Amino acid sequence: MGEVDPAFIQNPEHRPKLEITKAEGIPLIDLSILKTPDTNYSPDPKALEGLVKEVGDACKEWGFFQIINHGVPQEKRQKIENASRKFFAQSTVEKRKVRRNEEKVMGYYDTEHTKNVRDWKEVFDFTLQVPTLIPASYDADDKEVAKWYNQWPEHPSELREACQEYAKEVEQLAFKLMELIALSLGLPENRFHSFFKDQTTFIRINHYPPCPSPHLALGVGRHKDAGALTILGQDDVGGLQVKRKSDGQWIWVEPNPDAYIINVGDIIQVWSNDAYESVEHRVMVNSERERFSIPFFFNPAHYADVKPLEELTNELNPAKYRPYNWGKFLATRKRSNFKKLDVENIQIYHFRIPDSELAEKLEQGLSIK
């Protein structure tokens, strides 16, 4: 990527500080009680209750946590990492043979923007479900549905199989985590399963080349994840920073190659009616070492209407968001991948019910009581 083009340079207030504050408080949660080859096994109720509380506390206090003993085989992760390194080591000409565009939205890309500033990275995207169904446009009146297919490079030949095997393993983990989150909210274990029947989940392989000016650019600018849940695998280089809820400070997440980093997305924030909050994060770059990471974005079906769950709202805790359609939301967000927009892309706060309206509803609820 060469010297830092002005397109990569962050505004002064968003430039990273190269001195690091480590995120020592981010919870590390052991999922070993869920791991067993026996399909009839069920964990000790006391141990499960403790695990559910850990997950709930982490979602509430941090919006982020790390997990170990997660059940994803190390060899599957190693296989996708090795194939990824081979893919990104190729020439730009070779990689761009599977370059994505507005018609083919999966594949290689190296000019992505976050908050209208270019990210110092290149990516390879693929979907879990093939084809993935998505609205053909962001127009609310357009009912046409498009199909997303994956583009696989000729080289390295093993990338496709490595990606597909890995995706299946992490999908199982995603459902386990959603079950724990459901239980932590006082919901039935399988409460979220139906949302993912025709999921729009996708997996991204990120490559962050060394950057000559890491104090000016970011691998990914500050953002929140729009989907339900993100499961991040990263190498030993590190770069992820989380905006701490308690004081708004950017803190560094120490890389642990055996762990996954989990974060709550905007959809869970809406489903939980703000009980759990999606937290802003970003990625620093390194002047000496390249970095690889693999986020798994667990997303519901395109036809899912996202709104606070009825079980978590009442007269004294009214719904804080208007419903929105996930597919149309996603189609609107995708526009910014290929063109720089004049305004910030669509966010869940655009659907938030004004405080004045919420206060009125609460007053009505109190009078009913």
Side-chain angles (χ1 to χ4, degrees), residues 9-17 115 117 215-216 218 222 241 243 248 250 280 282:
I9 296 176
Q10 297 284 328
N11 289 334
E13 67 270 24
H14 299 305
R15 292 175 191 170
K17 295 177 182 176
K115 307 287 187 190
V117 180
H215 60 293
L216 297 178
L218 286 167
R222 71 198 191 284
Q241 286 190 310
K243 196 170 190 178
W250 287 106
E280 209 167 35
R282 67 184 187 184

Side-chain angles (χ1 to χ4, degrees), residues 30-38 41 68-72 176:
D30 188 340
L31 300 185
S32 56
I33 68 163
L34 303 179
K35 279 175 62 179
T36 175
D38 181 3
Y41 166 85
I68 53 173
N69 294 316
H70 40 68
V72 177
K176 281 183 192 175

Side-chain angles (χ1 to χ4, degrees), residues 103-146:
E103 283 73 46
K104 297 177 179 178
V105 300
M106 293 294 126
Y108 173 77
Y109 204 59
D110 57 356
T111 55
E112 191 161 79
H113 291 73
T114 303
K115 307 287 187 190
N116 285 331
V117 180
R118 190 171 166 190
D119 295 330
W120 190 272
K121 69 177 180 185
E122 53 183 347
V123 307
F124 180 81
D125 290 343
F126 64 99
T127 60
L128 189 144
Q129 193 159 305
V130 182
T132 290
L133 303 180
I134 205 77
S137 83
Y138 57 88
D139 184 346
D141 296 323
D142 185 356
K143 304 303 180 189
E144 188 180 347
V145 174

